[in-house]
Amino acid sequence: MSATHKAEAKPPMRDALVAAAFRLFLERGYEQTTVDDIVALAGVGRRSFFRYFPSKEDVVFPDHERCLADMTAFLAASGKEHEPVRRVCDAARLVLLMYAENPSFSVQRYRLTKQVPGLRAYELSVVWRYERALAEYLRGRFTGRPDGNLHADVIAAAVVAAHNNALRSWLRSDGEGDASATVDHALGYVQSAFGASPTAPAPTARPAFPALPAPPADELPQDVVVVVSRRGAPLWRVVQEIETTLGRD
Amino acid sequence: MSATHKAEAKPPMRDALVAAAFRLFLERGYEQTTVDDIVALAGVGRRSFFRYFPSKEDVVFPDHERCLADMTAFLAASGKEHEPVRRVCDAARLVLLMYAENPSFSVQRYRLTKQVPGLRAYELSVVWRYERALAEYLRGRFTGRPDGNLHADVIAAAVVAAHNNALRSWLRSDGEGDASATVDHALGYVQSAFGASPTAPAPTARPAFPALPAPPADELPQDVVVVVSRRGAPLWRVVQEIETTLGRD
């Protein structure tokens, strides 16, 4: 717990260790850098390193523990008023914020991780923990629904994949461009696929199109776009859908 | 290549090594068993072990390389006539078949993997390779579509999550029950979410409602907004119209 607390406070020594580690990783390569090299450059002892980081891998991803804790707290603070799919999308955005806080560091780490198989494996295990956090929340919200656990697992995986697709494309562009917009767009796809059905009330007597008289085809202009949208959908989602329909980017 | 070929042929020595390894893993624990222990029990030399398995982890998952090769070949043999989402679901079923070939071995391994963090990490990397194989195929099929790569990544992740949810529930039931039916049901959920829209053919002789993928009636929420707009209308006009309809400013 004390390590977590210190991680949240971001003391200078912790930052100095991360900075020293990355300078050496980029100069010599990750495998060629030892913890001894890092502490020598940072001017601290080995015990200080291991007070903050359980292993050399952890110094590469110094903020994931904090972010996982933030995500868990965010999800735990959810109420019944939160639409669950939107809620896990919002939770995923916390990961993006962590990357976007320091674009140049995130881009450096992305390049490093691509080169070192051990770091890719570490990253997979971190991604898996985020995915489980989202899935556990959804499982709770879907309790009692048929296939609730299945839906929770699939939606959590889809959210993580969409988030990571957007995050990686932002990282590949060297952290240029609007990361939030890219991630919003990607998560919009997941919400459009899953946002309604797992949370929609079971259909009762309600007709499918309660107040939609289908316009006679011959009264419509030849070149027409029809967008059907939930009333509660955020406007950006509707615009996105129109853009996609019109084939604009 | 020769190792792969031997893996396909499943020679007795390879089987003997797997059997000896599992006997020791279950008796002594995974961490307490060395490669030397395994080869001593199997009555072969260390070089024989490493001819079949690059590491001790690999003997736990002896058939994944073959299965990955089968999946890649299956996807490569796809044609335009295959609906892409169904095709990746069928590809995922190859993994299930591998597990179902030998239920008691699969159940033993599931229990072992749950106990050993290193094996869980190994398994995550294998799952990631399956997911990438599915995503790469979908990316190819979705080339030229808006957001093709995003859709490919999300659908691949959803397929893997659905498959693994079903596989794990079968493994937790000690390999009792109909694994195929469980996986089919889980994959059906993914197909219902993604099966139609990403693969709908581009409108050609465009009818009056050119780009309206009719949502399944039971998925339509009560409170729906329908906007009909000319295709050539500027986007801001469409947005204005929606805002007016929604009563927003």
Side-chain angles (χ1 to χ4, degrees):
Chain A
M1 279 309 288
S2 73
T4 305
H5 180 71
K6 277 171 184 141
E8 280 163 9
K10 278 205 175 191
M13 192 192 288
R14 190 171 183 279
D15 287 352
L17 283 163
V18 173
F22 267 80
R23 193 170 137 190
L24 292 169
F25 294 160
L26 295 173
E27 279 174 18
R28 306 181 184 180
Y30 176 79
E31 303 291 3
Q32 288 73 41
T33 302
T34 67
V35 170
D36 285 329
D37 297 333
I38 297 168
V39 297
L41 183 61
V44 302
R46 273 178 73 85
R47 285 182 57 188
S48 298
F49 182 93
F50 289 109
R51 200 179 333 147
Y52 295 111
F53 307 106
S55 70
K56 195 174 81 171
E57 278 100 347
D58 293 283
V59 77
V60 180
F61 304 97
D63 296 320
H64 277 303
E65 288 301 331
R66 170 177 62 85
C67 190
L68 268 159
D70 288 350
M71 180 186 279
T72 306
F74 176 82
L75 292 170
S78 308
K80 291 285 177 202
E81 72 278 15
H82 295 108
E83 196 280 310
V85 179
R86 181 171 306 168
R87 192 69 174 168
V88 288
C89 288
D90 288 343
R93 286 187 180 91
L94 297 173
V95 181
L96 177 79
L97 286 178
M98 177 191 67
Y99 280 81
E101 267 172 18
N102 196 339
S104 65
F105 176 71
S106 297
V107 170
Q108 278 180 352
R109 173 171 62 191
Y110 174 67
R111 291 186 192 144
L112 184 68
T113 305
K114 282 212 296 187
Q115 288 160 16
V116 182
L119 293 180
R120 283 207 304 275
Y122 183 98
E123 194 171 44
L124 284 181
S125 72
V126 172
V127 170
W128 175 245
R129 290 172 68 199
Y130 286 119
E131 190 172 318
R132 291 327 298 162
L134 301 181
E136 287 308 319
Y137 165 74
L138 289 174
R139 282 173 171 232
R141 291 297 304 271
F142 295 167
T143 300
R145 292 178 202 274
D147 294 323
N149 284 357
L150 168 66
H151 293 192
D153 288 1
V154 169
I155 294 170
V159 167
V160 167
H163 173 276
N164 286 351
N165 175 286
L167 174 62
R168 278 193 298 268
S169 92
W170 178 71
L171 291 169
R172 271 197 305 272
S173 76
D174 293 341
E176 302 289 327
D178 186 344
S180 283
T182 312
V183 165
D184 286 350
H185 177 75
L187 293 173
Y189 175 57
V190 177
Q191 285 187 264
S192 72
F194 295 111
S197 54
T199 57
T204 48
R206 203 188 316 133
F209 289 86
L212 176 65
D218 58 350
E219 279 180 37
L220 279 168
Q222 188 187 7
D223 211 358
V224 121
V225 174
V226 178
V227 176
V228 179
S229 162
R230 262 179 175 285
R231 184 168 285 271
L235 198 57
W236 63 266
R237 274 275 304 128
V238 181
V239 171
Q240 197 176 72
E241 200 170 326
I242 298 168
E243 286 177 323
T244 307
T245 307
L246 296 176
R248 300 179 192 172
D249 286 325
Chain B
M1 279 308 291
S2 71
T4 306
H5 179 72
K6 276 172 185 142
E8 280 164 8
K10 279 204 173 189
M13 191 191 288
R14 191 171 182 281
D15 287 351
L17 283 164
V18 174
F22 268 80
R23 194 170 137 191
L24 293 170
F25 294 160
L26 296 172
E27 280 174 18
R28 307 182 183 180
Y30 176 79
E31 303 289 4
Q32 290 72 41
T33 302
T34 65
V35 170
D36 285 329
D37 298 334
I38 297 167
V39 298
L41 183 61
V44 301
R46 274 178 72 85
R47 284 183 56 190
S48 298
F49 182 92
F50 289 109
R51 202 183 327 151
Y52 295 111
F53 305 108
S55 71
K56 196 173 80 171
E57 278 102 344
D58 292 283
V59 78
V60 181
F61 305 96
D63 297 319
H64 277 303
E65 288 300 332
R66 171 178 61 86
C67 190
L68 269 159
D70 287 351
M71 179 186 280
T72 306
F74 176 82
L75 292 170
S78 308
K80 291 284 177 204
E81 71 278 15
H82 295 108
E83 196 280 310
V85 179
R86 178 168 306 166
R87 191 69 174 171
V88 289
C89 288
D90 289 342
R93 287 187 180 90
L94 297 173
V95 181
L96 177 78
L97 286 178
M98 177 190 68
Y99 279 82
E101 267 172 20
N102 195 340
S104 65
F105 175 72
S106 297
V107 170
Q108 277 181 352
R109 173 171 61 191
Y110 174 67
R111 292 186 191 144
L112 184 68
T113 304
K114 281 213 295 188
Q115 290 160 15
V116 182
L119 292 180
R120 283 210 303 278
Y122 184 97
E123 194 171 43
L124 283 181
S125 74
V126 172
V127 169
W128 175 245
R129 290 172 68 198
Y130 285 120
E131 190 172 317
R132 290 327 298 164
L134 301 180
E136 286 306 320
Y137 165 74
L138 289 174
R139 282 173 171 230
R141 292 296 304 272
F142 295 167
T143 300
R145 291 179 203 274
D147 293 324
N149 285 356
L150 168 66
H151 294 191
D153 287 1
V154 169
I155 294 170
V159 166
V160 167
H163 173 277
N164 286 351
N165 175 286
L167 174 63
R168 277 193 299 266
S169 91
W170 177 71
L171 290 168
R172 271 196 306 272
S173 76
D174 293 340
E176 302 288 326
D178 186 344
S180 282
T182 311
V183 165
D184 286 350
H185 177 74
L187 293 173
Y189 174 57
V190 177
Q191 285 187 263
S192 74
F194 295 110
S197 55
T199 58
T204 47
R206 217 185 305 130
F209 290 84
L212 176 65
D218 61 347
E219 280 183 34
L220 271 176
Q222 186 182 14
D223 210 0
V224 126
V225 173
V226 178
V227 175
V228 181
S229 160
R230 275 182 178 282
R231 184 169 282 270
L235 200 55
W236 64 267
R237 282 274 305 127
V238 183
V239 172
Q240 204 173 57
E241 199 169 328
I242 297 167
E243 284 177 324
T244 308
T245 308
L246 296 176
R248 298 179 194 173
D249 295 326

Short mmCIF file of all heavy atoms in Angstrom, two decimals, chain A residues 212-215 219-221 223-228 242, chain B residues 208-210 212 225-231 233 237-238 241-242 245:
data_model
loop_
_atom_site.label_atom_id
_atom_site.label_comp_id
_atom_site.label_asym_id
_atom_site.label_seq_id
_atom_site.Cartn_x
_atom_site.Cartn_y
_atom_site.Cartn_z
N LEU A 212 -43.38 5.97 -36.05
CA LEU A 212 -42.64 6.22 -37.28
C LEU A 212 -43.46 5.76 -38.48
O LEU A 212 -43.41 4.59 -38.84
CB LEU A 212 -41.31 5.47 -37.25
CG LEU A 212 -40.47 5.57 -38.52
CD1 LEU A 212 -40.03 7.01 -38.74
CD2 LEU A 212 -39.28 4.66 -38.42
N PRO A 213 -44.23 6.66 -39.08
CA PRO A 213 -44.89 6.26 -40.32
C PRO A 213 -43.86 6.26 -41.43
O PRO A 213 -43.25 7.29 -41.71
CB PRO A 213 -45.93 7.37 -40.52
CG PRO A 213 -45.42 8.55 -39.75
CD PRO A 213 -44.40 8.07 -38.75
N ALA A 214 -43.59 5.11 -41.98
CA ALA A 214 -42.57 5.02 -43.03
C ALA A 214 -42.97 5.92 -44.19
O ALA A 214 -44.09 5.82 -44.68
CB ALA A 214 -42.44 3.58 -43.50
N PRO A 215 -42.10 6.85 -44.59
CA PRO A 215 -42.46 7.72 -45.71
C PRO A 215 -42.57 6.90 -46.99
O PRO A 215 -41.73 6.03 -47.21
CB PRO A 215 -41.28 8.69 -45.80
CG PRO A 215 -40.24 8.21 -44.84
CD PRO A 215 -40.73 7.00 -44.14
N GLU A 219 -42.17 9.47 -52.36
CA GLU A 219 -42.19 10.86 -51.91
C GLU A 219 -40.82 11.33 -51.47
O GLU A 219 -40.62 12.51 -51.20
CB GLU A 219 -43.17 11.03 -50.76
CG GLU A 219 -44.61 11.16 -51.22
CD GLU A 219 -45.53 11.33 -50.03
OE1 GLU A 219 -45.15 12.01 -49.07
OE2 GLU A 219 -46.63 10.74 -50.08
N LEU A 220 -39.90 10.40 -51.33
CA LEU A 220 -38.56 10.78 -50.86
C LEU A 220 -37.73 11.25 -52.03
O LEU A 220 -37.81 10.70 -53.13
CB LEU A 220 -37.88 9.58 -50.22
CG LEU A 220 -38.28 9.28 -48.79
CD1 LEU A 220 -37.77 7.92 -48.38
CD2 LEU A 220 -37.74 10.35 -47.86
N PRO A 221 -36.91 12.29 -51.79
CA PRO A 221 -35.98 12.65 -52.85
C PRO A 221 -35.07 11.47 -53.18
O PRO A 221 -34.85 10.61 -52.33
CB PRO A 221 -35.18 13.81 -52.25
CG PRO A 221 -35.50 13.85 -50.81
CD PRO A 221 -36.73 13.05 -50.57
N ASP A 223 -31.95 11.11 -53.57
CA ASP A 223 -30.67 10.92 -52.89
C ASP A 223 -30.79 11.34 -51.44
O ASP A 223 -30.54 12.47 -51.07
CB ASP A 223 -29.62 11.78 -53.60
CG ASP A 223 -28.26 11.14 -53.51
OD1 ASP A 223 -28.15 10.07 -52.88
OD2 ASP A 223 -27.32 11.71 -54.03
N VAL A 224 -31.20 10.40 -50.61
CA VAL A 224 -31.60 10.72 -49.27
C VAL A 224 -30.84 9.85 -48.26
O VAL A 224 -30.45 8.73 -48.57
CB VAL A 224 -33.12 10.51 -49.15
CG1 VAL A 224 -33.48 9.50 -48.11
CG2 VAL A 224 -33.80 11.83 -48.89
N VAL A 225 -30.58 10.40 -47.11
CA VAL A 225 -29.97 9.63 -46.04
C VAL A 225 -30.94 9.58 -44.87
O VAL A 225 -31.50 10.60 -44.49
CB VAL A 225 -28.66 10.29 -45.56
CG1 VAL A 225 -28.12 9.56 -44.35
CG2 VAL A 225 -27.65 10.28 -46.68
N VAL A 226 -31.14 8.41 -44.35
CA VAL A 226 -32.01 8.27 -43.19
C VAL A 226 -31.16 7.80 -42.03
O VAL A 226 -30.43 6.82 -42.13
CB VAL A 226 -33.14 7.27 -43.46
CG1 VAL A 226 -34.00 7.11 -42.20
CG2 VAL A 226 -33.99 7.73 -44.62
N VAL A 227 -31.21 8.52 -40.94
CA VAL A 227 -30.47 8.14 -39.74
C VAL A 227 -31.48 7.85 -38.64
O VAL A 227 -32.33 8.68 -38.35
CB VAL A 227 -29.51 9.25 -39.30
CG1 VAL A 227 -28.84 8.87 -37.99
CG2 VAL A 227 -28.47 9.50 -40.37
N VAL A 228 -31.39 6.66 -38.09
CA VAL A 228 -32.24 6.32 -36.96
C VAL A 228 -31.35 6.32 -35.73
O VAL A 228 -30.31 5.67 -35.72
CB VAL A 228 -32.88 4.93 -37.15
CG1 VAL A 228 -33.75 4.59 -35.95
CG2 VAL A 228 -33.68 4.89 -38.43
N ILE A 242 -23.68 9.75 -39.25
CA ILE A 242 -23.99 10.39 -40.53
C ILE A 242 -22.74 10.44 -41.39
O ILE A 242 -22.76 10.13 -42.58
CB ILE A 242 -24.53 11.81 -40.31
CG1 ILE A 242 -25.84 11.75 -39.52
CG2 ILE A 242 -24.75 12.51 -41.64
CD1 ILE A 242 -26.28 13.10 -39.00
N ALA B 208 -34.23 3.95 -52.19
CA ALA B 208 -34.59 5.20 -51.52
C ALA B 208 -33.88 5.34 -50.17
O ALA B 208 -33.46 6.42 -49.80
CB ALA B 208 -36.09 5.26 -51.31
N PHE B 209 -33.74 4.26 -49.43
CA PHE B 209 -33.05 4.30 -48.14
C PHE B 209 -31.69 3.65 -48.32
O PHE B 209 -31.51 2.49 -47.99
CB PHE B 209 -33.83 3.55 -47.07
CG PHE B 209 -35.10 4.24 -46.67
CD1 PHE B 209 -36.26 4.06 -47.39
CD2 PHE B 209 -35.11 5.08 -45.58
CE1 PHE B 209 -37.43 4.70 -47.02
CE2 PHE B 209 -36.28 5.73 -45.21
CZ PHE B 209 -37.44 5.54 -45.93
N PRO B 210 -30.74 4.38 -48.90
CA PRO B 210 -29.52 3.71 -49.37
C PRO B 210 -28.65 3.16 -48.26
O PRO B 210 -28.02 2.16 -48.43
CB PRO B 210 -28.78 4.82 -50.11
CG PRO B 210 -29.32 6.09 -49.54
CD PRO B 210 -30.73 5.81 -49.15
N LEU B 212 -29.40 2.57 -44.84
CA LEU B 212 -30.08 2.31 -43.58
C LEU B 212 -30.07 0.82 -43.29
O LEU B 212 -30.87 0.08 -43.82
CB LEU B 212 -31.52 2.81 -43.66
CG LEU B 212 -32.38 2.52 -42.44
CD1 LEU B 212 -31.85 3.27 -41.22
CD2 LEU B 212 -33.81 2.89 -42.70
N VAL B 225 -35.13 8.73 -32.73
CA VAL B 225 -35.19 9.92 -33.57
C VAL B 225 -34.84 9.50 -34.98
O VAL B 225 -33.87 8.79 -35.20
CB VAL B 225 -34.18 10.98 -33.09
CG1 VAL B 225 -34.13 12.14 -34.06
CG2 VAL B 225 -34.55 11.46 -31.70
N VAL B 226 -35.66 9.90 -35.91
CA VAL B 226 -35.36 9.60 -37.30
C VAL B 226 -35.13 10.91 -38.03
O VAL B 226 -35.95 11.83 -37.96
CB VAL B 226 -36.52 8.83 -37.96
CG1 VAL B 226 -36.22 8.56 -39.43
CG2 VAL B 226 -36.75 7.52 -37.23
N VAL B 227 -33.99 11.02 -38.66
CA VAL B 227 -33.68 12.22 -39.44
C VAL B 227 -33.56 11.81 -40.90
O VAL B 227 -32.82 10.89 -41.21
CB VAL B 227 -32.36 12.86 -38.96
CG1 VAL B 227 -32.00 14.03 -39.85
CG2 VAL B 227 -32.49 13.29 -37.52
N VAL B 228 -34.32 12.47 -41.75
CA VAL B 228 -34.21 12.22 -43.19
C VAL B 228 -33.55 13.44 -43.80
O VAL B 228 -33.97 14.56 -43.56
CB VAL B 228 -35.60 12.01 -43.82
CG1 VAL B 228 -35.47 11.73 -45.30
CG2 VAL B 228 -36.31 10.86 -43.11
N SER B 229 -32.48 13.20 -44.53
CA SER B 229 -31.71 14.33 -45.05
C SER B 229 -31.28 14.03 -46.48
O SER B 229 -31.09 12.87 -46.84
CB SER B 229 -30.49 14.54 -44.15
OG SER B 229 -29.51 15.28 -44.83
N ARG B 230 -31.15 15.08 -47.25
CA ARG B 230 -30.57 14.90 -48.58
C ARG B 230 -29.11 14.50 -48.44
O ARG B 230 -28.41 15.05 -47.59
CB ARG B 230 -30.60 16.21 -49.36
CG ARG B 230 -31.89 16.46 -50.06
CD ARG B 230 -31.78 17.77 -50.83
NE ARG B 230 -33.01 18.02 -51.56
CZ ARG B 230 -33.29 17.39 -52.70
NH1 ARG B 230 -32.44 16.54 -53.24
NH2 ARG B 230 -34.43 17.63 -53.30
N ARG B 231 -28.67 13.61 -49.30
CA ARG B 231 -27.28 13.16 -49.23
C ARG B 231 -26.31 14.32 -49.42
O ARG B 231 -25.26 14.37 -48.80
CB ARG B 231 -27.04 12.09 -50.29
CG ARG B 231 -25.66 11.48 -50.27
CD ARG B 231 -25.58 10.26 -51.16
NE ARG B 231 -26.18 9.10 -50.51
CZ ARG B 231 -25.49 8.25 -49.75
NH1 ARG B 231 -24.22 8.43 -49.52
NH2 ARG B 231 -26.08 7.22 -49.20
N ALA B 233 -26.62 17.38 -48.53
CA ALA B 233 -26.74 18.48 -47.56
C ALA B 233 -25.44 18.63 -46.77
O ALA B 233 -24.82 17.64 -46.41
CB ALA B 233 -27.89 18.20 -46.61
N ARG B 237 -25.93 21.44 -41.57
CA ARG B 237 -27.38 21.53 -41.70
C ARG B 237 -28.05 20.32 -41.04
O ARG B 237 -29.07 20.44 -40.38
CB ARG B 237 -27.78 21.58 -43.19
CG ARG B 237 -27.59 22.92 -43.84
CD ARG B 237 -28.82 23.84 -43.64
NE ARG B 237 -30.04 23.21 -44.10
CZ ARG B 237 -31.14 23.07 -43.36
NH1 ARG B 237 -31.14 23.51 -42.12
NH2 ARG B 237 -32.21 22.50 -43.86
N VAL B 238 -27.44 19.18 -41.26
CA VAL B 238 -28.00 17.95 -40.69
C VAL B 238 -27.94 18.02 -39.17
O VAL B 238 -28.91 17.70 -38.48
CB VAL B 238 -27.21 16.72 -41.19
CG1 VAL B 238 -27.83 15.44 -40.67
CG2 VAL B 238 -27.17 16.70 -42.71
N GLU B 241 -30.53 20.27 -37.79
CA GLU B 241 -31.84 19.63 -37.85
C GLU B 241 -32.03 18.66 -36.69
O GLU B 241 -33.08 18.59 -36.07
CB GLU B 241 -31.96 18.88 -39.18
CG GLU B 241 -33.37 18.55 -39.59
CD GLU B 241 -33.40 18.06 -41.03
OE1 GLU B 241 -32.55 18.51 -41.83
OE2 GLU B 241 -34.23 17.21 -41.34
N ILE B 242 -30.96 17.91 -36.41
CA ILE B 242 -31.04 16.96 -35.29
C ILE B 242 -31.21 17.71 -33.98
O ILE B 242 -32.04 17.36 -33.14
CB ILE B 242 -29.77 16.09 -35.21
CG1 ILE B 242 -29.63 15.25 -36.48
CG2 ILE B 242 -29.81 15.17 -33.99
CD1 ILE B 242 -28.26 14.63 -36.62
N THR B 245 -34.65 18.78 -33.63
CA THR B 245 -35.51 17.64 -33.35
C THR B 245 -35.40 17.23 -31.88
O THR B 245 -36.38 16.90 -31.23
CB THR B 245 -35.11 16.44 -34.23
OG1 THR B 245 -35.08 16.89 -35.59
CG2 THR B 245 -36.10 15.30 -34.10
#
